[in-house]
Amino acid sequence: MGSKMSKNNNVVLSKLVTNEQHGENSPYFDGWKAYDNDPFHLVNTPNGVIQMGLAENQLPVYKIEEWIKRNPKASICTTEGIESFRRIANFQDYHGLPEFTSGIAKFMEKTRSGRVKFDPKRVVMAGGATGANENLIRCLADPGNAFLVPTPYYPGFNRDLRWRTGVELLPISCNSSNNFKITIEDVKEAYKKAQQTKIKVKGLILTNPSNPLGTVLDRDTLINLLTFTNEHNIHLVCDEIYAGTVFDAPEFVSVAEIINDDKIRINKDLVHIVSSLSKDLGFPGFRVGIVYSFNDDVVNNARKMSSFGLVSAQTQHLLASMLSDDEFIGKFLIENPRRLKERHEKFTGGLEEVGIKCLKSNAGLYCWADLRPMLKEPTLDAELSLWKRIISDANLNVSPGSSFNCPEAGWFRICFANIDDETVEIALSRIQMFVDANNKVNERGLIKNALVKKE
Protein backbone atom coordinates (compact mmCIF):
# COMPACT_ATOMS: atom_id res chain seq x y z
CA MET A 1 0.00 0.00 0.00
CA GLY A 2 1.37 3.39 -0.97
CA SER A 3 1.37 6.59 1.01
CA LYS A 4 -1.97 8.39 1.44
CA MET A 5 -3.02 12.01 1.52
CA SER A 6 -4.37 13.37 4.78
CA LYS A 7 -8.03 14.37 4.47
CA ASN A 8 -7.44 17.54 6.44
CA ASN A 9 -4.44 19.21 4.86
CA ASN A 10 -3.37 17.08 1.87
CA VAL A 11 -0.13 16.09 3.61
CA VAL A 12 1.29 12.77 2.45
CA LEU A 13 1.47 10.41 5.42
CA SER A 14 3.61 7.31 5.88
CA LYS A 15 2.66 3.84 4.70
CA LEU A 16 2.77 2.65 8.31
CA VAL A 17 0.12 4.97 9.71
CA THR A 18 -2.14 4.70 6.68
CA ASN A 19 -2.25 0.91 6.34
CA GLU A 20 -5.19 -1.13 7.62
CA GLN A 21 -3.28 -3.32 10.09
CA HIS A 22 -4.39 -1.40 13.20
CA GLY A 23 -7.77 -3.12 13.07
CA GLU A 24 -9.73 -0.08 14.19
CA ASN A 25 -12.39 -0.75 11.56
CA SER A 26 -13.19 -4.27 12.79
CA PRO A 27 -16.56 -5.11 14.40
CA TYR A 28 -14.72 -5.43 17.72
CA PHE A 29 -13.96 -1.71 17.77
CA ASP A 30 -17.13 -0.71 15.90
CA GLY A 31 -19.11 -1.91 18.90
CA TRP A 32 -17.14 0.42 21.13
CA LYS A 33 -18.04 3.30 18.82
CA ALA A 34 -21.73 2.45 19.16
CA TYR A 35 -21.33 2.65 22.92
CA ASP A 36 -19.40 5.93 22.73
CA ASN A 37 -22.18 7.48 20.64
CA ASP A 38 -24.91 6.51 23.13
CA PRO A 39 -23.45 5.26 26.44
CA PHE A 40 -25.76 3.74 29.03
CA HIS A 41 -26.29 5.57 32.33
CA LEU A 42 -28.73 4.44 34.99
CA VAL A 43 -30.21 7.94 35.35
CA ASN A 44 -29.20 10.12 32.41
CA THR A 45 -29.43 7.65 29.49
CA PRO A 46 -31.21 4.50 30.72
CA ASN A 47 -31.88 3.36 27.14
CA GLY A 48 -28.27 3.79 26.03
CA VAL A 49 -25.89 1.05 24.91
CA ILE A 50 -24.48 -1.09 27.72
CA GLN A 51 -20.77 -1.76 27.22
CA MET A 52 -20.23 -5.52 27.35
CA GLY A 53 -17.39 -5.60 24.85
CA LEU A 54 -14.72 -4.30 27.20
CA ALA A 55 -12.77 -6.75 29.37
CA GLU A 56 -12.25 -4.57 32.42
CA ASN A 57 -12.33 -5.73 36.00
CA GLN A 58 -14.29 -3.21 38.06
CA LEU A 59 -15.42 -5.68 40.72
CA PRO A 60 -12.47 -5.26 43.14
CA VAL A 61 -11.84 -1.54 42.58
CA TYR A 62 -13.43 -0.63 45.92
CA LYS A 63 -10.65 -2.59 47.67
CA ILE A 64 -8.04 -0.51 45.87
CA GLU A 65 -9.84 2.70 46.81
CA GLU A 66 -9.89 1.65 50.47
CA TRP A 67 -6.16 0.94 50.40
CA ILE A 68 -5.36 4.32 48.84
CA LYS A 69 -7.35 6.10 51.55
CA ARG A 70 -5.41 4.23 54.22
CA ASN A 71 -2.06 4.87 52.54
CA PRO A 72 -1.89 8.50 51.37
CA LYS A 73 1.91 8.41 51.66
CA ALA A 74 2.03 6.10 48.63
CA SER A 75 1.25 9.05 46.37
CA ILE A 76 3.73 11.89 45.87
CA CYS A 77 0.75 14.21 45.28
CA THR A 78 -0.41 14.20 48.89
CA THR A 79 0.80 16.05 51.97
CA GLU A 80 1.89 12.74 53.46
CA GLY A 81 3.84 11.69 50.36
CA ILE A 82 5.34 15.00 49.25
CA GLU A 83 8.69 14.16 50.82
CA SER A 84 9.32 11.67 47.99
CA PHE A 85 8.32 14.10 45.24
CA ARG A 86 11.77 15.29 44.19
CA ARG A 87 13.26 11.80 44.09
CA ILE A 88 10.41 10.34 42.06
CA ALA A 89 9.87 13.37 39.79
CA ASN A 90 13.52 13.31 38.69
CA PHE A 91 14.53 11.38 35.57
CA GLN A 92 14.21 7.60 35.91
CA ASP A 93 15.91 5.28 33.42
CA TYR A 94 14.34 2.29 31.71
CA HIS A 95 15.35 -0.21 34.40
CA GLY A 96 12.46 0.88 36.62
CA LEU A 97 12.45 1.63 40.33
CA PRO A 98 13.94 -1.39 42.17
CA GLU A 99 11.04 -1.46 44.60
CA PHE A 100 8.63 -1.53 41.64
CA THR A 101 10.26 -4.42 39.78
CA SER A 102 10.54 -6.34 43.07
CA GLY A 103 6.86 -5.72 43.73
CA ILE A 104 5.92 -6.94 40.25
CA ALA A 105 7.98 -10.11 40.63
CA LYS A 106 6.41 -10.83 44.00
CA PHE A 107 2.90 -10.23 42.63
CA MET A 108 3.54 -12.58 39.72
CA GLU A 109 4.57 -15.24 42.23
CA LYS A 110 1.41 -14.77 44.27
CA THR A 111 -0.92 -14.98 41.28
CA ARG A 112 0.69 -18.35 40.59
CA SER A 113 0.11 -19.52 44.18
CA GLY A 114 3.80 -19.26 45.09
CA ARG A 115 4.72 -22.30 43.01
CA VAL A 116 7.38 -20.43 41.04
CA LYS A 117 9.86 -17.62 41.71
CA PHE A 118 10.42 -14.60 39.46
CA ASP A 119 13.61 -12.56 39.27
CA PRO A 120 13.05 -8.77 39.52
CA LYS A 121 16.08 -8.27 37.26
CA ARG A 122 14.17 -9.94 34.42
CA VAL A 123 11.14 -7.66 34.75
CA VAL A 124 10.95 -5.26 31.79
CA MET A 125 8.21 -2.63 32.00
CA ALA A 126 6.09 -1.40 29.10
CA GLY A 127 3.07 0.76 28.39
CA GLY A 128 0.44 -1.89 29.09
CA ALA A 129 0.27 -5.38 27.64
CA THR A 130 -0.05 -3.75 24.21
CA GLY A 131 3.41 -2.22 24.55
CA ALA A 132 4.83 -5.37 26.13
CA ASN A 133 3.60 -7.59 23.31
CA GLU A 134 4.94 -5.31 20.59
CA ASN A 135 8.28 -4.85 22.35
CA LEU A 136 8.75 -8.60 22.69
CA ILE A 137 7.80 -9.34 19.08
CA ARG A 138 10.24 -6.68 17.85
CA CYS A 139 12.98 -8.45 19.79
CA LEU A 140 12.12 -11.90 18.44
CA ALA A 141 11.23 -11.39 14.78
CA ASP A 142 11.83 -9.40 11.61
CA PRO A 143 9.19 -8.06 9.19
CA GLY A 144 7.79 -10.91 7.13
CA ASN A 145 8.36 -13.51 9.87
CA ALA A 146 5.32 -15.18 11.42
CA PHE A 147 3.92 -16.51 14.69
CA LEU A 148 1.38 -19.28 15.09
CA VAL A 149 -1.69 -18.31 17.16
CA PRO A 150 -4.56 -20.62 18.13
CA THR A 151 -8.05 -19.32 17.37
CA PRO A 152 -10.11 -17.69 18.66
CA TYR A 153 -7.66 -15.02 19.85
CA TYR A 154 -7.77 -11.44 21.17
CA PRO A 155 -8.58 -9.01 18.31
CA GLY A 156 -6.01 -6.51 19.56
CA PHE A 157 -3.23 -8.93 18.62
CA ASN A 158 -3.62 -7.78 15.02
CA ARG A 159 -2.64 -4.31 16.20
CA ASP A 160 -0.21 -5.18 18.99
CA LEU A 161 1.76 -7.86 17.15
CA ARG A 162 1.43 -6.97 13.46
CA TRP A 163 0.76 -3.30 12.80
CA ARG A 164 4.17 -1.72 13.42
CA THR A 165 6.31 -4.87 13.38
CA GLY A 166 5.47 -6.24 9.92
CA VAL A 167 5.08 -9.69 11.49
CA GLU A 168 2.34 -12.05 10.33
CA LEU A 169 -0.04 -14.11 12.47
CA LEU A 170 -0.88 -17.60 11.24
CA PRO A 171 -4.10 -18.94 12.82
CA ILE A 172 -4.23 -22.44 14.26
CA SER A 173 -7.87 -23.38 13.76
CA CYS A 174 -9.57 -24.65 16.92
CA ASN A 175 -13.30 -25.41 17.05
CA SER A 176 -16.19 -26.28 19.33
CA SER A 177 -16.02 -30.03 18.70
CA ASN A 178 -13.46 -30.26 21.52
CA ASN A 179 -14.36 -26.98 23.27
CA PHE A 180 -11.76 -25.03 21.26
CA LYS A 181 -8.85 -26.85 22.88
CA ILE A 182 -5.54 -26.56 21.08
CA THR A 183 -4.02 -29.91 20.07
CA ILE A 184 -0.47 -30.68 19.11
CA GLU A 185 -1.80 -32.13 15.84
CA ASP A 186 -3.35 -28.77 14.93
CA VAL A 187 -0.07 -26.99 15.73
CA LYS A 188 1.93 -29.40 13.58
CA GLU A 189 -0.47 -28.96 10.68
CA ALA A 190 -0.31 -25.15 10.84
CA TYR A 191 3.48 -25.26 11.06
CA LYS A 192 3.69 -27.65 8.10
CA LYS A 193 1.53 -25.33 5.95
CA ALA A 194 3.76 -22.38 6.82
CA GLN A 195 6.85 -24.36 5.85
CA GLN A 196 5.31 -25.31 2.52
CA THR A 197 4.64 -21.64 1.70
CA LYS A 198 8.20 -20.68 2.71
CA ILE A 199 7.01 -18.51 5.63
CA LYS A 200 9.57 -18.33 8.41
CA VAL A 201 7.82 -19.19 11.67
CA LYS A 202 9.55 -17.62 14.67
CA GLY A 203 7.26 -18.85 17.39
CA LEU A 204 3.94 -19.83 18.94
CA ILE A 205 1.81 -17.36 20.92
CA LEU A 206 -0.52 -18.61 23.65
CA THR A 207 -2.98 -16.70 25.82
CA ASN A 208 -3.31 -18.52 29.12
CA PRO A 209 -5.89 -18.04 30.61
CA SER A 210 -7.59 -17.60 27.28
CA ASN A 211 -9.17 -14.45 25.94
CA PRO A 212 -11.96 -14.93 24.78
CA LEU A 213 -12.60 -18.48 26.03
CA GLY A 214 -11.97 -17.99 29.75
CA THR A 215 -10.26 -21.39 29.97
CA VAL A 216 -6.79 -22.47 31.12
CA LEU A 217 -4.27 -24.79 29.51
CA ASP A 218 -3.54 -27.99 31.39
CA ARG A 219 -0.02 -29.06 32.29
CA ASP A 220 0.22 -31.85 29.71
CA THR A 221 -0.82 -29.53 26.89
CA LEU A 222 1.77 -26.95 27.95
CA ILE A 223 4.47 -29.62 28.05
CA ASN A 224 3.53 -30.87 24.56
CA LEU A 225 3.58 -27.34 23.14
CA LEU A 226 6.88 -26.54 24.83
CA THR A 227 8.37 -29.75 23.47
CA PHE A 228 7.21 -28.84 19.96
CA THR A 229 8.61 -25.30 20.02
CA ASN A 230 11.85 -26.55 21.53
CA GLU A 231 12.29 -29.27 18.90
CA HIS A 232 11.76 -26.73 16.10
CA ASN A 233 13.91 -24.08 17.78
CA ILE A 234 11.12 -21.48 17.77
CA HIS A 235 9.93 -19.19 20.56
CA LEU A 236 7.02 -19.75 22.90
CA VAL A 237 5.33 -16.51 24.03
CA CYS A 238 2.78 -16.91 26.82
CA ASP A 239 0.41 -14.02 27.42
CA GLU A 240 -0.56 -14.56 31.07
CA ILE A 241 -2.27 -11.24 31.80
CA TYR A 242 -5.37 -13.02 33.18
CA ALA A 243 -3.43 -15.19 35.64
CA GLY A 244 -5.07 -13.55 38.66
CA THR A 245 -8.63 -13.93 37.35
CA VAL A 246 -8.91 -17.72 37.77
CA PHE A 247 -11.96 -18.25 39.98
CA ASP A 248 -12.55 -21.99 39.83
CA ALA A 249 -10.87 -25.32 39.14
CA PRO A 250 -8.79 -26.37 37.31
CA GLU A 251 -5.95 -24.26 38.63
CA PHE A 252 -3.83 -22.05 36.41
CA VAL A 253 -0.43 -23.48 35.42
CA SER A 254 2.14 -20.93 34.28
CA VAL A 255 4.70 -21.84 31.66
CA ALA A 256 7.28 -20.76 34.24
CA GLU A 257 6.30 -23.74 36.38
CA ILE A 258 6.88 -26.15 33.51
CA ILE A 259 10.35 -24.95 32.55
CA ASN A 260 11.46 -24.97 36.19
CA ASP A 261 10.67 -28.67 36.43
CA ASP A 262 14.02 -30.45 36.46
CA LYS A 263 12.44 -33.49 34.82
CA ILE A 264 11.65 -31.49 31.66
CA ARG A 265 14.59 -30.52 29.45
CA ILE A 266 13.72 -27.25 27.71
CA ASN A 267 15.79 -24.44 26.24
CA LYS A 268 14.66 -21.59 28.49
CA ASP A 269 16.06 -19.01 26.07
CA LEU A 270 13.04 -19.68 23.86
CA VAL A 271 10.41 -18.97 26.54
CA HIS A 272 8.88 -15.58 27.32
CA ILE A 273 5.93 -14.28 29.38
CA VAL A 274 3.80 -11.18 28.97
CA SER A 275 2.11 -9.94 32.13
CA SER A 276 0.12 -6.90 33.23
CA LEU A 277 -1.82 -5.36 36.11
CA SER A 278 -4.76 -4.34 33.89
CA LYS A 279 -6.90 -7.44 34.49
CA ASP A 280 -5.63 -8.88 37.77
CA LEU A 281 -5.81 -5.60 39.70
CA GLY A 282 -8.22 -3.66 37.48
CA PHE A 283 -5.63 -1.01 36.47
CA PRO A 284 -5.93 -0.72 32.65
CA GLY A 285 -5.57 3.06 32.83
CA PHE A 286 -2.23 2.79 34.64
CA ARG A 287 -0.72 1.15 31.52
CA VAL A 288 1.49 -1.33 33.34
CA GLY A 289 2.70 -4.10 31.07
CA ILE A 290 5.54 -6.53 31.69
CA VAL A 291 7.90 -8.52 29.50
CA TYR A 292 9.48 -11.37 31.46
CA SER A 293 11.96 -13.44 29.50
CA PHE A 294 14.26 -16.28 30.50
CA ASN A 295 16.64 -15.15 27.74
CA ASP A 296 19.29 -12.64 28.89
CA ASP A 297 19.64 -11.08 25.43
CA VAL A 298 15.90 -10.56 25.14
CA VAL A 299 15.77 -8.95 28.59
CA ASN A 300 18.62 -6.56 27.78
CA ASN A 301 17.29 -5.57 24.36
CA ALA A 302 13.64 -5.37 25.43
CA ARG A 303 14.73 -3.03 28.22
CA LYS A 304 16.39 -0.73 25.69
CA MET A 305 13.30 -0.86 23.49
CA SER A 306 11.13 0.00 26.50
CA SER A 307 12.42 3.58 26.34
CA PHE A 308 9.51 4.26 23.98
CA GLY A 309 6.83 3.17 26.44
CA LEU A 310 7.81 3.40 30.09
CA VAL A 311 5.55 3.34 33.14
CA SER A 312 5.60 6.74 34.85
CA ALA A 313 7.76 6.93 37.97
CA GLN A 314 4.78 8.23 39.94
CA THR A 315 2.79 5.11 39.02
CA GLN A 316 5.74 2.87 39.83
CA HIS A 317 6.12 4.51 43.23
CA LEU A 318 2.48 4.05 44.21
CA LEU A 319 2.30 0.46 42.97
CA ALA A 320 5.57 -0.48 44.67
CA SER A 321 4.00 0.48 47.98
CA MET A 322 0.78 -1.37 47.26
CA LEU A 323 2.39 -4.55 45.93
CA SER A 324 4.71 -4.75 48.95
CA ASP A 325 1.71 -4.79 51.29
CA ASP A 326 1.54 -8.56 51.71
CA GLU A 327 -1.56 -8.52 53.90
CA PHE A 328 -3.54 -6.40 51.43
CA ILE A 329 -2.47 -8.34 48.33
CA GLY A 330 -3.18 -11.64 50.08
CA LYS A 331 -6.74 -10.60 50.92
CA PHE A 332 -7.23 -9.05 47.46
CA LEU A 333 -6.26 -12.29 45.70
CA ILE A 334 -8.93 -14.08 47.70
CA GLU A 335 -11.67 -11.47 47.25
CA ASN A 336 -11.15 -10.88 43.54
CA PRO A 337 -11.71 -14.51 42.40
CA ARG A 338 -14.63 -14.81 44.80
CA ARG A 339 -16.42 -11.84 43.27
CA LEU A 340 -15.57 -12.96 39.72
CA LYS A 341 -17.02 -16.41 40.39
CA GLU A 342 -20.15 -14.86 41.89
CA ARG A 343 -20.65 -12.56 38.89
CA HIS A 344 -19.86 -15.35 36.41
CA GLU A 345 -22.46 -17.63 37.96
CA LYS A 346 -25.02 -14.83 38.09
CA PHE A 347 -24.56 -13.84 34.46
CA THR A 348 -24.17 -17.25 32.84
CA GLY A 349 -27.09 -18.49 34.96
CA GLY A 350 -29.20 -15.65 33.57
CA LEU A 351 -28.21 -16.58 30.04
CA GLU A 352 -29.02 -20.22 30.70
CA GLU A 353 -32.53 -19.25 31.78
CA VAL A 354 -33.25 -17.84 28.32
CA GLY A 355 -31.64 -20.79 26.56
CA ILE A 356 -28.19 -19.38 25.84
CA LYS A 357 -25.36 -21.74 26.64
CA CYS A 358 -21.76 -20.73 27.27
CA LEU A 359 -18.49 -22.59 26.99
CA LYS A 360 -17.54 -23.92 30.42
CA SER A 361 -14.92 -21.55 31.79
CA ASN A 362 -13.10 -20.77 35.02
CA ALA A 363 -11.17 -17.55 34.37
CA GLY A 364 -11.34 -14.15 32.73
CA LEU A 365 -13.82 -11.30 32.79
CA TYR A 366 -16.23 -12.64 30.14
CA CYS A 367 -18.09 -15.64 28.84
CA TRP A 368 -17.97 -17.27 25.40
CA ALA A 369 -21.65 -17.47 24.47
CA ASP A 370 -23.09 -19.82 21.86
CA LEU A 371 -25.65 -17.91 19.78
CA ARG A 372 -25.49 -20.25 16.80
CA PRO A 373 -29.17 -21.23 17.16
CA MET A 374 -30.09 -17.58 16.57
CA LEU A 375 -28.36 -17.38 13.19
CA LYS A 376 -30.46 -17.55 10.03
CA GLU A 377 -27.63 -19.55 8.51
CA PRO A 378 -24.16 -20.61 9.75
CA THR A 379 -22.23 -17.87 7.97
CA LEU A 380 -20.11 -14.85 8.85
CA ASP A 381 -22.67 -12.53 7.25
CA ALA A 382 -25.43 -14.00 9.42
CA GLU A 383 -23.28 -13.55 12.52
CA LEU A 384 -22.60 -9.90 11.73
CA SER A 385 -26.27 -9.34 11.00
CA LEU A 386 -27.19 -10.78 14.40
CA TRP A 387 -24.50 -8.66 16.09
CA LYS A 388 -25.87 -5.49 14.50
CA ARG A 389 -29.37 -6.35 15.71
CA ILE A 390 -28.10 -6.95 19.25
CA ILE A 391 -26.60 -3.46 19.24
CA SER A 392 -29.55 -1.71 17.60
CA ASP A 393 -32.45 -3.64 19.17
CA ALA A 394 -31.09 -4.68 22.58
CA ASN A 395 -28.67 -1.76 22.97
CA LEU A 396 -25.88 -4.08 24.08
CA ASN A 397 -22.34 -4.04 22.78
CA VAL A 398 -21.06 -7.61 22.63
CA SER A 399 -18.21 -8.87 20.45
CA PRO A 400 -18.81 -11.26 17.52
CA GLY A 401 -16.60 -14.31 17.31
CA SER A 402 -15.40 -13.40 13.84
CA SER A 403 -13.50 -10.46 15.33
CA PHE A 404 -11.56 -13.05 17.36
CA ASN A 405 -10.82 -15.06 14.18
CA CYS A 406 -13.19 -17.79 15.36
CA PRO A 407 -13.64 -20.32 12.52
CA GLU A 408 -17.27 -21.00 13.49
CA ALA A 409 -20.02 -18.39 13.09
CA GLY A 410 -22.31 -17.65 16.02
CA TRP A 411 -20.02 -17.40 19.03
CA PHE A 412 -19.87 -14.12 20.97
CA ARG A 413 -17.73 -12.81 23.82
CA ILE A 414 -19.78 -11.04 26.50
CA CYS A 415 -17.96 -9.17 29.28
CA PHE A 416 -19.55 -9.11 32.73
CA ALA A 417 -17.00 -7.62 35.14
CA ASN A 418 -16.98 -3.99 33.96
CA ILE A 419 -20.52 -3.10 35.10
CA ASP A 420 -22.34 -2.94 38.44
CA ASP A 421 -24.98 -5.34 39.75
CA GLU A 422 -27.94 -3.20 38.69
CA THR A 423 -26.63 -2.87 35.15
CA VAL A 424 -26.18 -6.64 34.98
CA GLU A 425 -29.86 -7.08 35.78
CA ILE A 426 -30.82 -4.59 33.06
CA ALA A 427 -28.53 -6.31 30.55
CA LEU A 428 -30.04 -9.73 31.32
CA SER A 429 -33.52 -8.27 30.96
CA ARG A 430 -32.64 -6.83 27.56
CA ILE A 431 -31.16 -10.16 26.47
CA GLN A 432 -34.34 -11.96 27.50
CA MET A 433 -36.52 -9.54 25.52
CA PHE A 434 -34.25 -9.88 22.48
CA VAL A 435 -34.30 -13.67 22.62
CA ASP A 436 -38.08 -13.72 23.09
CA ALA A 437 -38.53 -11.47 20.05
CA ASN A 438 -36.13 -13.63 18.03
CA ASN A 439 -37.98 -16.81 19.04
CA LYS A 440 -41.48 -15.60 18.17
CA VAL A 441 -41.47 -15.85 14.42
CA ASN A 442 -39.14 -16.81 11.64
CA GLU A 443 -39.20 -15.49 8.10
CA ARG A 444 -42.31 -17.55 7.28
CA GLY A 445 -44.20 -16.42 10.35
CA LEU A 446 -43.81 -19.77 12.11
CA ILE A 447 -42.91 -20.22 15.75
CA LYS A 448 -39.15 -20.51 16.17
CA ASN A 449 -38.07 -22.57 19.18
CA ALA A 450 -34.33 -22.79 18.57
CA LEU A 451 -33.46 -21.11 21.83
CA VAL A 452 -36.38 -22.14 24.02
CA LYS A 453 -34.97 -23.69 27.15
CA LYS A 454 -35.43 -27.46 27.27
CA GLU A 455 -36.41 -29.09 30.54
Side-chain angles (χ1 to χ4, degrees), residues 85-130:
F85 181 86
R86 291 194 179 190
R87 177 176 68 88
I88 299 301
N90 283 341
F91 173 77
Q92 305 290 339
D93 70 13
Y94 44 65
H95 288 80
L97 299 175
E99 58 269 32
F100 170 73
T101 54
S102 293
I104 290 292
K106 184 183 292 186
F107 184 73
M108 290 176 67
E109 293 170 5
K110 290 180 177 178
T111 53
R112 292 151 180 82
S113 302
R115 294 187 297 270
V116 62
K117 294 291 183 181
F118 289 94
D119 183 356
K121 295 180 180 179
R122 293 190 176 278
V123 171
V124 179
M125 59 179 166
T130 292

Side-chain angles (χ1 to χ4, degrees), residues 13-315:
L13 302 181
S14 71
K15 294 179 182 179
L16 173 63
V17 301
T18 55
N19 68 33
E20 300 297 326
Q21 296 300 316
H22 180 277
E24 186 180 31
N25 296 322
S26 75
Y28 178 73
F29 291 107
D30 283 345
W32 290 17
K33 296 169 188 174
Y35 167 78
D36 289 339
N37 291 333
D38 184 22
F40 169 82
H41 187 277
L42 279 170
V43 178
N44 299 331
T45 51
N47 295 319
V49 176
I50 296 176
Q51 174 62 290
M52 307 192 79
L54 182 59
E56 282 190 351
N57 187 8
Q58 293 295 311
L59 300 183
V61 169
Y62 77 99
K63 299 292 290 184
I64 304 294
E65 293 171 337
E66 291 174 354
W67 184 90
I68 290 174
K69 291 176 182 178
R70 294 194 306 268
N71 296 271
K73 194 174 182 179
S75 171
I76 62 174
C77 297
T78 62
T79 301
E80 294 84 352
I82 194 67
E83 64 184 30
S84 299
F85 181 86
R86 291 194 179 190
R87 177 176 68 88
I88 299 301
N90 283 341
F91 173 77
Q92 305 290 339
D93 70 13
Y94 44 65
H95 288 80
L97 299 175
E99 58 269 32
F100 170 73
T101 54
S102 293
I104 290 292
K106 184 183 292 186
F107 184 73
M108 290 176 67
E109 293 170 5
K110 290 180 177 178
T111 53
R112 292 151 180 82
S113 302
R115 294 187 297 270
V116 62
K117 294 291 183 181
F118 289 94
D119 183 356
K121 295 180 180 179
R122 293 190 176 278
V123 171
V124 179
M125 59 179 166
T130 292
N133 272 307
E134 186 189 66
N135 187 346
L136 182 56
I137 295 303
R138 283 187 181 276
C139 290
L140 303 181
D142 294 312
N145 294 163
F147 282 81
L148 303 173
V149 188
T151 63
Y153 62 79
Y154 169 53
F157 275 173
N158 292 324
R159 171 200 63 206
D160 303 353
L161 308 179
R162 295 172 52 193
W163 183 34
R164 302 196 302 179
T165 65
V167 167
E168 294 298 319
L169 297 182
L170 304 179
I172 302 171
S173 185
C174 304
N175 54 63
S176 62
S177 62
N178 70 340
N179 296 323
F180 296 98
K181 293 180 180 178
I182 183 175
T183 67
I184 195 64
E185 290 75 22
D186 292 334
V187 176
K188 289 179 179 178
E189 180 64 23
Y191 184 79
K192 180 180 178 182
K193 288 182 179 178
Q195 297 295 97
Q196 291 172 345
T197 55
K198 308 299 182 182
I199 298 175
K200 186 173 184 178
V201 175
K202 292 302 294 286
L204 169 65
I205 296 174
L206 302 174
T207 303
N208 184 34
S210 168
N211 176 14
L213 302 178
T215 56
V216 296
L217 293 173
D218 61 76
R219 185 180 180 85
D220 288 343
T221 298
L222 276 172
I223 292 175
N224 288 337
L225 295 175
L226 263 172
T227 301
F228 175 84
T229 55
N230 196 72
E231 288 176 348
H232 291 83
N233 197 37
I234 61 176
H235 297 280
L236 179 64
V237 176
C238 288
D239 184 326
E240 297 185 350
I241 69 172
Y242 287 94
T245 69
V246 178
F247 53 79
D248 210 344
E251 67 181 7
F252 167 67
V253 179
S254 171
V255 69
E257 299 177 46
I258 306 298
I259 66 173
N260 283 335
D261 188 334
D262 294 335
K263 299 177 183 178
I264 302 173
R265 301 182 65 83
I266 293 293
N267 181 4
K268 294 184 179 182
D269 283 345
L270 295 172
V271 182
H272 324 277
I273 295 173
V274 172
S275 187
S276 168
L277 299 185
S278 296
K279 313 303 180 181
D280 294 349
L281 281 176
F283 284 166
F286 276 28
R287 310 308 300 145
V288 179
I290 301 298
V291 172
Y292 190 95
S293 177
F294 297 89
N295 183 317
D296 292 342
D297 289 335
V298 171
V299 170
N300 292 333
N301 286 286
R303 184 164 285 132
K304 289 186 290 186
M305 293 284 289
S306 72
S307 297
F308 298 99
L310 299 175
V311 179
S312 75
Q314 179 180 348
T315 299

Side-chain angles (χ1 to χ4, degrees), residues 439-453:
N439 282 341
K440 282 182 180 178
V441 292
N442 63 15
E443 291 178 346
R444 297 180 180 178
L446 301 175
I447 297 297
K448 181 180 180 181
N449 295 312
L451 277 180
V452 174
K453 184 179 178 183

